[in-house]
Amino acid sequence: MAGRYQSDMTKDDVTPKHVWLNRRSLIAGGASALALGSIAGPAAASLGAVKTDYGADLEPNSFDDIKSYNNFYEFGTDKSDPARSAHMLTTEPWSIEIDGLVDNPGTYTMDDILAGVTLEERIYRFRCVERWAMVVPWAGFELADLLNKAGVQSDAKYVAFETAYRPDEMPGVRSPIIEWPYREGLRLDEAMHPLTLMATGIYDEPMPKQNGAPIRLVVPWKYGYKSIKSIVRISLVEKQPPTAWNTYSANEYGFYSNVNPNRDHPRWSQKYERRIGGGLFARQTETLMFNGYEEEVAGLYDGMDLIEFH
Ligand code: MTE
């Protein structure tokens, strides 16, 4: 492998070591908001998520990187639009309609959703189809816990998700970029996989609106657009559901969208990626099969042609 490329994102790839060591001591000194230019304002309440070993070897991006470089087309298509406009989204109260092939359909408030749930902190790689990547310390719980609450019936094969559609609060939905509301879907076994999270926070703080408050999906082995934000509906269905980007262009955005360095996007190679926060001259690193989660998830696709079913 050429020395220029590294297959892994370690602490040293993001920020020179002395800088993050220095940041850490600043954080320890309670000066993080000031020193890192946080846009959160007064410190938000901590969620108390339980630390886990997930991603213990990865150095997360700064909170600033994570909440200032976003894709959330409901608020505009520039990376900086969501941080500027997502404050318009009303996130309290919030509920998710769970329907379709479930024993307990209905409206689940955030209290219902979080009842009996222990939030975990999991540090996951996050890879956008556009070739940028981050490492994010999510706070969340396994989607399987919520689906089990709803009681999945035996004929359910897929899970469909929908984002809120609120023209009054979301300036971006006035443009017909994709068919609104934003929709996504997973096969049931993907949805039940222990890596698949419903996230309600980042850095142990409540989810910033631009990142999909109050609750979003995180599927770390798939391109970022599968990780749908600000979810208001989850439907258990028998047939593969239509999804926003696949409906827009099926050849460019497959239903599966597993991160795969061997299946190029028709308009660009997927062999390499660029880590956000690494500066203008950041090295490109090799894209990892299933974004580095091959050991955990490859078995879901045994016998499948991952080029055809991209
Ligand atoms: N969810 C909704 N509702 N709308 C969007 O535009 N963008 C997707 C995904 N989820 C998107 C969405 C894309 S393309 C990516 S890469 C990730 O959100 C970005 O998540 P982040 O802004 O938290 O990094």
Side-chain angles (χ1 to χ4, degrees), residues 138-161:
W138 303 107
F141 59 92
E142 293 178 13
L143 171 61
D145 294 344
L146 181 59
L147 297 181
N148 288 333
K149 255 183 207 173
V152 178
Q153 295 178 350
S154 58
D155 40 355
K157 304 275 185 300
Y158 292 89
V159 187
F161 304 85

Side-chain angles (χ1 to χ4, degrees), residues 193-212:
H193 193 280
L195 282 177
T196 304
L197 285 192
M198 290 294 271
T200 59
I202 295 173
Y203 272 110
D204 208 31
E205 287 188 21
M207 188 67 75
K209 292 187 179 183
Q210 58 267 42
N211 293 92

Side-chain angles (χ1 to χ4, degrees), residues 84-163:
R84 206 170 19 247
S85 303
H87 65 89
M88 290 188 245
L89 181 66
T90 307
T91 54
E92 278 178 55
W94 193 271
S95 57
I96 299 182
E97 204 64 35
I98 305 187
D99 59 16
L101 303 168
V102 288
D103 294 335
N104 312 306
T107 305
Y108 288 68
T109 64
M110 284 306 286
D111 283 348
D112 298 332
I113 292 165
L114 295 173
V117 162
T118 304
L119 291 180
E120 289 183 14
E121 179 171 279
R122 295 195 186 181
I123 301 172
Y124 281 170
R125 299 161 175 284
F126 190 82
R127 168 62 153 83
C128 178
V129 72
E130 298 162 338
R131 286 180 292 188
W132 54 266
M134 293 202 200
V135 169
V136 184
W138 303 107
F141 59 92
E142 293 178 13
L143 171 61
D145 294 344
L146 181 59
L147 297 181
N148 288 333
K149 255 183 207 173
V152 178
Q153 295 178 350
S154 58
D155 40 355
K157 304 275 185 300
Y158 292 89
V159 187
F161 304 85
E162 255 179 51
T163 296

